[in-house]
Amino acid sequence: MTPYAASAKLPRRPALTFVLAGLALALAIGLSGSFQLAPCTRLDRAILDTLQVHTASGRQAANTVVVDVDDRSLAAVGQWPWPRYRLAALIDRIAAEQPSAIALDIMLPEPDRVSLTEIQQTFKRDFDVDLSFNGVPAALRDNDGYLGQQMARAGVVGARYFYFDHATRDDRPLRPGIGFDGRVDLLSLDRASGVLENVEAIARQTRVNGFVNVRADNDGVLRRLPLLIEYHGVVHASLALAATMHALGVSSARVESGRDGLSLRIGQREVPIDPSGYALLRFNGPSHRYPSISAVDVLAGRARAQDLRGKIVFIGSTAAGLNDLHRTAVDRLFPGLKIQSALTQDILDGDIVRVPVWGAMAALIAGMLLAALLCGLFVAGCSLAMLASVGLSAALVLLALATATFLHASLFLPVAAPLLVLGMVTALCVVVRAALHQRRERHWRKQLENARQVTIESMSAVAETRDPETGAHIKRTQHYVRAIARRLKGTGHYVDVLTEEYIHLLFLSAPLHDIGKVGVPDNILLKPGRLTEDEWVVMRKHPEFGRQIILSTAQQIEGDNFLAIAADIAATHHEKWDGTGYPAGLLGASIPLSGRIMAVADIYDALISRRCYKEPFSHEVSTTMMREMGGTTFDPVVLDAFFEIEDEIRRIAGCFRDEDEDEDESDSPPARSSDSVVAPAETSV
């Protein structure tokens, strides 16, 4: 099998290890989803936001309307906050159209400074002057009291705001106006430490109140609203919940526990909540899908009666200066006033989205099963393409299931964990498969190297059976050529040729430099004396014999042929730099670099070695002779590299000594005089 095989079945032990690793990864991701940790939470939120946008009904809210003290109303009437008598007049106009409920989403914690009573008190305190007003009814002298009376008459639901960072004084009892029973013990509500309430004159006349707290998720997007908050052991309702219950004529709600989680039972309606008392919003669309009427139009009598009759009306302000805007999935600037309207409409329509209590466990189990499936397919040898196809199909099924349950059951299934499991386990499969491929590639390359080495050694062994030169000569010349090539590369010579692969192949191929001698008859090859001219003609054919032998073998090998360098070495290692060599008489750089390097290594080793026709020369004598051949026999650059690593050359010669050579170099015979030295050309055959 090649290292890039499409698939490979894992052995039992690695397969078991891989499956356990995949399941452990799935378990870790599933638990992070259960504890709402990133990145599961971020992905679930992204999926929820996408569903909110793409499944929004787009219809106008039918049961709620906002009366908006907008910028146009402020421009027409002036000042904010409005005088309380003007708010009272607005409430009176709305109440005349018989809405099902009115909620005032405006906090009035300070006395009205334009109230006649307040003016009298200010003048008395600051100037010790007693002011009196004639002809003004007593009810109109206190704007706060007057507004409180109108709110009580119309049954308006008031607003309050809870603090969680500091405590406030409790000078008067805080009445929620509605009650809760049932499985309240299962709730873990936010506990407030303080409250901002309307002024006493308004608060004491308001029978039902609701808080206006909102809290975005930690990414800044508003997705949930608290329906319940605990303050001093009492459960309080949000403004939207209180207004809805008031419109339905219900004064209490029951906390119930069901198969999917907790709910508030309001008459016949079931409102899903989480243990913290939050409800997950489901928007009809952007804020303009929730109708509004300008307050100035209501005061001027220009509002249509049918736009208010039977509706739950929220009075408040979306004026830009108040900055009561929230980022949601469907609208980046959703007014807080209309958030209350959206929640109320969701309660009435039964569209509150629930995250089922079993969702996290189901996601964990689904992730474990999917991990087991992918790991099983992987260890069975399935291709990465098939694994990716299975993973993608499973992801699409999960998303389709989440969409269907969101649309038809108002359930949001947290599918982020199994989706992340699919992605991470698939990535793990890719990484492991790549690692296996790399290991197989290394094994394959090692086998290839072994095959190369065996081929070369087998061919070298054939030459050794005929050549009196020993295997030590082959080892020495191998290491000489590699050392010379590395020195050339290190000094910046022939760097375009001397790659690591080239140097490695040069090392492997060097033993074949004299394989052509198998074609030389024994009486010539083994002759102890000088060769005759005719014998030299035959002997000088061995480079061409070697080239033909190697190329005939190379033709049987497909792909990148590692014997090409060996053929060059065999054919050209007796060529000379000045063109007087054999067999082709090549000149200078026309001689392949491998042949030039081999010539230096081969002649040096021939000089220092014992042959049937000569005794070994010392290193000093050998190198002296070689220096004289620089520029004629040898490439000067290659010869310089040889002398630059002279110590390494001597070390190599010492490491691979001939078996019949004495250990002590001092026993070597003395160098012969120059007139008795064998000619270099003869020495290097």
Side-chain angles (χ1 to χ4, degrees):
M1 180 180 294
T2 67
Y4 296 103
S7 61
K9 187 175 180 179
L10 288 181
R12 183 174 180 179
R13 188 180 294 257
L16 179 59
T17 301
F18 180 80
V19 171
L20 291 177
L23 292 177
L25 179 62
L27 179 62
I29 294 174
L31 291 176
S32 71
S34 299
F35 291 103
Q36 298 183 352
L37 303 177
C40 285
T41 299
R42 286 200 293 267
L43 182 55
D44 272 329
R45 287 173 177 174
I47 295 171
L48 175 60
D49 291 346
T50 301
L51 290 173
Q52 289 275 23
V53 172
H54 293 287
T55 66
S57 65
R59 62 177 180 268
Q60 289 285 104
N63 304 104
T64 64
V65 66
V66 165
V67 173
D68 188 5
V69 185
D70 53 12
D71 291 310
R72 187 162 64 90
S73 300
L74 293 178
V77 177
Q79 92 169 66
W80 181 258
W82 274 0
R84 309 294 156 82
Y85 64 80
R86 186 162 287 124
L87 284 175
L90 181 62
I91 290 171
D92 188 54
R93 292 279 187 151
I94 295 170
E97 304 302 338
Q98 300 179 347
S100 61
I102 303 174
L104 184 62
D105 186 14
I106 299 173
M107 293 295 303
L108 304 169
E110 299 291 336
D112 189 348
R113 299 303 180 186
V114 300
S115 173
L116 296 182
T117 301
E118 184 67 18
I119 293 173
Q120 285 178 319
Q121 293 174 352
T122 299
F123 269 76
K124 180 63 176 176
R125 182 182 64 249
D126 295 343
F127 305 109
D128 196 23
V129 174
D130 293 316
L131 293 181
S132 62
F133 301 98
N134 297 322
V136 180
L140 295 180
R141 293 181 181 180
D142 181 4
N143 289 352
D144 295 322
Y146 178 65
L147 175 59
Q149 290 176 10
Q150 292 300 103
M151 289 176 64
R153 184 180 299 115
V156 174
V157 178
R160 58 169 57 110
Y161 180 85
F162 285 112
Y163 295 114
F164 295 90
D165 56 353
H166 68 278
T168 55
R169 294 175 55 188
D170 297 324
D171 294 333
R172 58 180 184 271
L174 195 64
R175 298 174 298 177
I178 50 180
F180 300 92
D181 56 18
R183 299 306 307 272
V184 179
D185 59 302
L186 298 178
L187 296 172
S188 298
L189 303 179
D190 294 338
R191 294 183 177 180
S193 56
V195 63
L196 181 66
E197 183 77 309
N198 289 325
V199 295
E200 172 66 17
I202 297 174
R204 69 169 178 265
Q205 299 184 77
T206 305
R207 293 188 294 272
V208 179
N209 292 277
F211 60 82
V212 294
N213 297 70
V214 298
R215 189 177 72 179
D217 290 329
N218 55 17
D219 61 354
V221 178
L222 183 65
R223 299 180 181 91
R224 307 178 304 152
L225 281 182
L227 294 185
L228 306 173
I229 287 178
E230 182 181 337
Y231 181 64
H232 287 187
V234 178
V235 177
H236 295 261
S238 71
L239 184 67
L241 177 60
T244 304
M245 293 176 67
H246 187 63
L248 296 174
V250 177
S251 60
S252 66
R254 184 174 183 82
V255 179
E256 297 180 349
S257 177
R259 178 189 61 188
D260 296 329
L262 298 177
S263 300
L264 273 179
R265 176 67 63 179
I266 305 173
Q268 300 300 315
R269 287 175 169 79
E270 182 180 352
V271 182
I273 58 173
D274 64 18
S276 298
Y278 281 72
L280 192 58
L281 291 165
R282 185 172 183 177
F283 296 99
N284 288 2
S287 59
H288 65 264
R289 294 299 177 190
Y290 298 89
S292 63
I293 304 171
S294 178
V296 70
D297 290 336
V298 175
L299 286 173
R302 293 191 293 268
R304 299 183 304 171
Q306 61 266 33
D307 291 337
L308 297 169
R309 185 171 297 119
K311 305 288 182 67
I312 298 178
V313 180
F314 289 91
I315 304 172
S317 178
T318 65
L322 299 181
N323 200 32
D324 186 22
L325 300 171
H326 304 275
R327 184 158 65 95
T328 67
V330 296
D331 194 334
R332 296 186 64 84
L333 298 174
F334 209 111
L337 177 60
K338 290 195 173 184
I339 290 288
Q340 301 293 337
S341 178
L343 177 57
T344 298
Q345 191 64 57
D346 282 347
I347 295 174
L348 294 175
D349 292 340
D351 276 347
I352 297 290
V353 178
R354 181 195 293 278
V355 179
V357 292
W358 45 263
M361 181 57 68
L364 189 152
I365 294 173
M368 297 287 286
L369 292 175
L370 290 171
L373 173 63
L374 290 180
C375 291
L377 292 174
F378 179 83
V379 300
C382 290
S383 66
L384 291 178
M386 178 176 288
L387 289 172
S389 177
V390 171
L392 179 60
S393 298
L396 292 175
V397 169
L398 287 171
L399 291 173
L401 180 62
T403 302
T405 54
F406 188 84
L407 279 172
H408 303 296
S410 291
L411 290 178
F412 176 67
L413 299 181
V415 295
L419 286 175
L420 287 174
V421 168
L422 287 172
M424 295 297 290
V425 173
T426 301
L428 179 63
C429 291
V430 172
V431 171
V432 173
R433 181 63 55 82
L436 291 174
H437 281 174
Q438 289 180 352
R439 188 173 71 176
R440 292 191 186 106
E441 181 183 6
R442 289 193 298 270
H443 181 65
W444 176 74
R445 287 187 178 277
K446 185 176 181 180
Q447 288 180 323
L448 178 61
E449 291 296 332
N450 290 340
R452 288 176 174 178
Q453 189 67 33
V454 168
T455 300
I456 292 172
E457 289 178 357
S458 298
M459 296 175 73
S460 300
V462 173
E464 286 184 47
T465 60
R466 305 261 353 278
D467 195 336
E469 297 175 4
T470 66
H473 166 72
I474 292 175
K475 290 293 184 182
R476 288 194 297 269
T477 52
Q478 262 192 311
H479 287 82
Y480 293 156
V481 297
R482 183 169 65 181
I484 295 169
R486 286 177 173 172
R487 181 59 183 176
L488 285 169
K489 182 179 181 180
T491 54
H493 294 96
Y494 306 118
V495 291
D496 54 334
V497 176
L498 293 172
T499 63
E500 287 300 320
E501 177 70 9
Y502 182 92
I503 294 173
H504 182 58
L505 290 177
L506 185 65
F507 176 80
L508 294 178
S509 302
L512 298 181
H513 66 282
D514 274 339
I515 192 171
K517 289 182 179 180
V518 299
V520 178
D522 286 347
N523 64 312
I524 298 175
L525 184 65
L526 304 178
K527 184 176 180 179
R530 292 179 179 273
L531 301 179
T532 66
E533 190 64 32
D534 290 339
E535 289 172 337
W536 266 112
V537 171
V538 175
M539 177 62 78
R540 287 173 177 171
K541 290 181 180 180
H542 83 268
E544 181 59 26
F545 292 159
R547 187 181 72 86
Q548 292 175 1
I549 292 170
I550 293 172
L551 291 181
S552 65
T553 303
Q555 290 175 359
Q556 310 301 317
I557 302 175
E558 297 181 0
D560 182 20
N561 202 315
F562 63 92
L563 291 175
I565 293 178
D568 284 342
I569 291 175
T572 64
H573 71 285
H574 285 300
E575 299 288 354
K576 295 184 178 181
W577 186 252
D578 61 3
T580 61
Y582 65 90
L586 300 178
L587 176 66
S590 61
I591 306 171
L593 180 60
S594 57
R596 286 179 264 158
I597 295 174
M598 190 70 225
V600 174
D602 189 39
I603 290 178
Y604 170 76
D605 201 68
L607 290 171
I608 67 168
S609 301
R610 179 178 287 107
R611 294 289 182 264
C612 60
Y613 51 82
K614 63 174 279 294
E615 291 299 319
F617 295 112
S618 69
H619 173 79
E620 291 74 13
V621 171
S622 299
T623 53
T624 299
M625 296 170 66
M626 291 178 67
R627 289 184 190 276
E628 294 174 357
M629 291 184 273
T632 55
T633 298
F634 303 126
D635 177 349
V637 173
V638 176
L639 187 61
D640 287 344
F642 171 84
F643 283 116
E644 288 169 3
I645 57 169
E646 194 169 344
D647 290 342
E648 185 176 357
I649 294 295
R650 297 190 70 166
R651 182 184 59 78
I652 293 171
C655 287
F656 302 99
R657 305 172 70 89
D658 292 326
E659 293 180 1
D660 59 349
E661 185 178 341
D662 293 334
E663 292 295 331
D664 190 351
E665 288 186 356
S666 63
D667 295 338
S668 299
R672 287 177 279 182
S673 61
S674 59
D675 58 352
S676 64
V677 172
V678 178
E682 297 176 8
T683 303
S684 61
V685 296

